[in-house]
Amino acid sequence: QVQLVESGGGLAEPGGSLRLSCAASGFTFSNYAMGWYRQAPGKQRELVAQLNTGGSTTYADAVKGRFTISRDTVKKTVYLQMNSLKPEDTAVYYCNAKRQFANYWGQGTQVTVSS
């Protein structure tokens, strides 16, 4: 069955870095756009970054220049490198895989940015 398993979350200080990983299985990884979303307490889930099958990327304005999404098609893993972290980046981060008529989610990983 389809599985998206996130890892790499945790506690970071403002200005620090974290790298999230999402290991995919159960579907043809290269055929899907892969993305990261986040949801802070009391807020709606929002797109952070997306990497399309053709290689184009989309970033939320709030993370442009600080976060980078990438994928390893051999390892079937998508990454989110997060630099210059801010307290407002605190949220549960979710991995997403989508294509026409299919949309899959991971279970989420907590990222907390605090001194």
Side-chain angles (χ1 to χ4, degrees):
Q1 74 276 21
V2 172
Q3 281 194 311
L4 296 171
V5 181
E6 299 104 332
S7 61
L11 176 64
E13 292 187 345
S17 298
L18 286 173
R19 188 176 81 153
L20 305 183
S21 300
C22 172
S25 61
F27 62 97
T28 306
F29 182 75
S30 59
N31 289 350
Y32 283 69
M34 299 299 298
W36 289 94
Y37 287 71
R38 67 186 181 187
Q39 187 167 18
K43 295 188 176 181
Q44 289 189 330
R45 191 174 298 188
E46 63 178 2
L47 174 69
V48 175
Q50 182 168 298
L51 178 54
N52 297 315
T53 55
S56 62
T57 55
T58 301
Y59 291 95
D61 287 343
V63 308
K64 282 180 182 176
R66 300 189 297 121
F67 290 10
T68 303
I69 188 170
S70 61
R71 67 196 290 167
D72 184 326
T73 55
V74 174
K75 294 182 178 179
K76 297 183 180 180
T77 299
V78 62
Y79 303 98
L80 184 67
Q81 179 66 45
M82 305 186 295
N83 298 328
S84 302
L85 284 163
K86 303 176 180 180
E88 51 264 42
D89 294 319
T90 296
V92 178
Y93 284 70
Y94 296 92
C95 180
N96 174 260
K98 70 172 67 172
R99 62 169 295 175
Q100 191 177 25
F101 307 125
N103 193 24
Y104 304 125
W105 294 94
Q107 81 287 353
T109 186
Q110 176 70 45
V111 171
T112 302
V113 183
S114 175
S115 54

